[in-house]
Amino acid sequence: MSKVIAMAGKGGVGKTTVSALVTRFFAKHQNDPLLAIDADPNSNLGETLGLEIEKTVGDIREDFMKDPQGVPSGMDKIVYLEMLMNQVLIEQNTFDLLVMGRQEGQGCYCMVNNILNRFADQLESNYKYLLVDNEAGMEHLSRRTKGKVDVLLMVTDYALRGLRAVGRINEMLGDLKIEVKHKAIIVNRAPKELSKVFLDEVERIGVPILCSIPDDKNLLEFDMEQRSLLELDDDSPAVYSINRMMQKVKEIIG
Ligand SMILES: Nc1ncnc2c1ncn2[C@@H]1O[C@H](COP(=O)(O)OP(=O)(O)OP(=O)(O)O)[C@@H](O)[C@H]1O
Ligand SMILES: [Mg+2]
């Protein structure tokens, strides 16, 4: 069974950045196969990793629904969808990336969804680790994690509003019927010392802080220069924090 590492948190707090740096950790420091899954409809994990995304799983579904007769003659539609699905997978030497894209809209896409989900399940079973970058909020967390998360990284910025969003997500977990084995808070753009008010709120939520990530000016620079975060140095402050955090995560989830 693959181990699932998933992100949660309010908009803009750093989920995708953390996802990219976790991917970088696997790419640079591990031999274990990782599948990074961009489950945010406004996909940008690929971009932060310097990869060009041509098609998403959502695009396959849309194309197929628009033109169900577009299956090449003599080809079974399941085989056809599988072929398209393989084209969506971006394969790198050290990790692979699957971009989910837009979720299904109106109308019944059940058949196509079922087929695509089955392929995704099969695909995922080839990897020891899955990393799921989610959109803000929790509604979509269940979709690609199939009810099981080994570690949920709940990202907040250094603000009570971000932290309270983590609290709400934590409370919602019970309703979502997802088995979350371990939960941890990541404080992004954190000062050296966290205030008592902040720590009291963490205590109230009852989820431990696994990692504080300082503000890292290289992230802005790389963003402006549209460089892949994979190229950051190990001693860049955010990278250093994530690498240490991932050592702990690996101890926790194996
Ligand atoms: N530790 C950090 N230091 C400096 N800049 C950072 C840091 N973490 C994130 N950022 C910047 O903050 C912005 C938002 O980060 P990011 O896209 O990772 O957030 P997100 O939670 O994925 O957002 P969304 O909810 O929109 O998906 C990005 O421009 C990123 O470069
Ligand atoms: Mg994001």
Side-chain angles (χ1 to χ4, degrees), residues 9-18 40 42 44 48 133-136 155 188-189 213-217 219-220 223 238:
K10 181 171 123 4
V13 290
K15 298 176 295 296
T16 300
T17 304
V18 171
D40 185 345
N42 296 308
N44 62 358
T48 63
D133 181 20
N134 285 293
E135 69 180 300
V155 187
N188 192 16
R189 311 184 95 155
I213 306 171
D215 199 84
D216 186 340
K217 63 178 174 27
L219 290 176
L220 177 63
D223 178 77

Side-chain angles (χ1 to χ4, degrees), residues 35 54-57 60 75 78-92 96-99 115-116 118-124 126-127:
L35 177 65
E54 278 167 23
K55 242 186 186 354
T56 69
V57 176
I60 297 181
M75 195 186 250
I78 296 187
V79 176
Y80 179 59
L81 282 170
E82 184 172 19
M83 189 189 80
L84 295 178
M85 191 75 177
N86 280 323
Q87 290 172 1
V88 168
L89 182 71
I90 297 177
E91 292 175 281
Q92 301 290 293
D96 295 343
L97 173 69
L98 185 66
V99 182
I115 296 172
L116 293 178
R118 217 170 48 231
F119 290 146
D121 289 351
Q122 266 167 23
L123 178 73
E124 286 166 11
N126 297 330
Y127 299 84

Side-chain angles (χ1 to χ4, degrees), residues 14 50 77 86 195 238:
K77 65 176 175 303
N86 280 323
S195 72

